[in-house]
Amino acid sequence: TNAGSAVLSRPSANPSPHKRTDGGNVQLMEARLVELYSSLRALDRSNKQLKEALVEDPNDRDFLIAIDENLTAMRGQRELCIDLVRDMKRQGMDIDLPEDICNLDVLTTPTSQEQDESQSSLIAQTQAPTETDTGVYL
């Protein structure tokens, strides 16, 4: 900063769940990885159950939203896993992501075309009415 100027910042009321707080400590990174692996596996199981339930009711809005939210969380968590593993390797650790974590489908929404169309319809129905605000409203 320039002399005579100050930068004020306020801690976020809701810190990102994916924010790194390990300070480069390998033991903390490894503990966080174990936590993330468990969370990713649980979210994946949840999505499989939700997709099975969608077979009976392909237009269940709550299930479609839950799947989408789970996928968003999974993408962020897997990215953090990748960052942690990369940083641990840089510190000389012999570590890789487990195969099941690498193979998680974090991009695909419900598998049938009907369910995909249903979700597209849902998103179109809940889009903000303005062009500048692309948030989803319920």
Side-chain angles (χ1 to χ4, degrees):
T1 59
N2 295 334
S5 67
V7 176
L8 299 176
S9 64
R10 175 180 305 171
S12 173
N14 297 316
S16 167
H18 306 300
K19 184 177 180 182
R20 296 273 306 267
T21 58
D22 53 60
N25 181 308
V26 174
Q27 290 174 324
L28 292 176
M29 288 189 276
E30 191 169 23
R32 182 69 173 131
L33 272 175
V34 170
E35 179 185 356
L36 289 166
Y37 295 160
S38 177
S39 176
L40 282 162
R41 290 173 179 132
L43 288 166
D44 186 53
R45 279 190 306 275
S46 174
N47 272 2
K48 286 177 182 172
Q49 292 169 349
L50 288 164
K51 287 177 183 180
E52 288 174 14
L54 278 173
V55 170
E56 292 182 27
D57 186 4
N59 296 315
D60 189 307
R61 181 177 182 183
D62 292 331
F63 289 168
L64 292 167
I65 291 170
I67 290 170
D68 187 56
E69 288 174 353
N70 286 352
L71 290 171
T72 299
M74 291 170 72
R75 281 189 292 272
Q77 290 179 5
R78 191 163 71 177
E79 286 295 319
L80 183 53
C81 287
I82 291 167
D83 289 346
L84 286 165
V85 166
R86 182 188 59 234
D87 290 350
M88 291 171 75
K89 284 181 177 240
R90 286 180 182 156
Q91 293 189 34
M93 296 289 297
D94 182 22
I95 187 167
D96 287 304
L97 286 177
E99 188 173 336
D100 66 317
I101 300 297
C102 290
N103 293 332
L104 286 176
D105 182 5
V106 297
L107 301 175
T108 307
T109 53
T111 55
S112 78
Q113 182 176 353
E114 184 176 299
Q115 290 167 344
D116 289 342
E117 290 170 0
S118 173
Q119 182 154 355
S120 296
S121 172
L122 170 67
I123 291 170
Q125 292 171 11
T126 58
Q127 287 287 330
T130 66
E131 291 181 15
T132 58
D133 186 0
T134 61
V136 177
Y137 296 88
L138 302 177

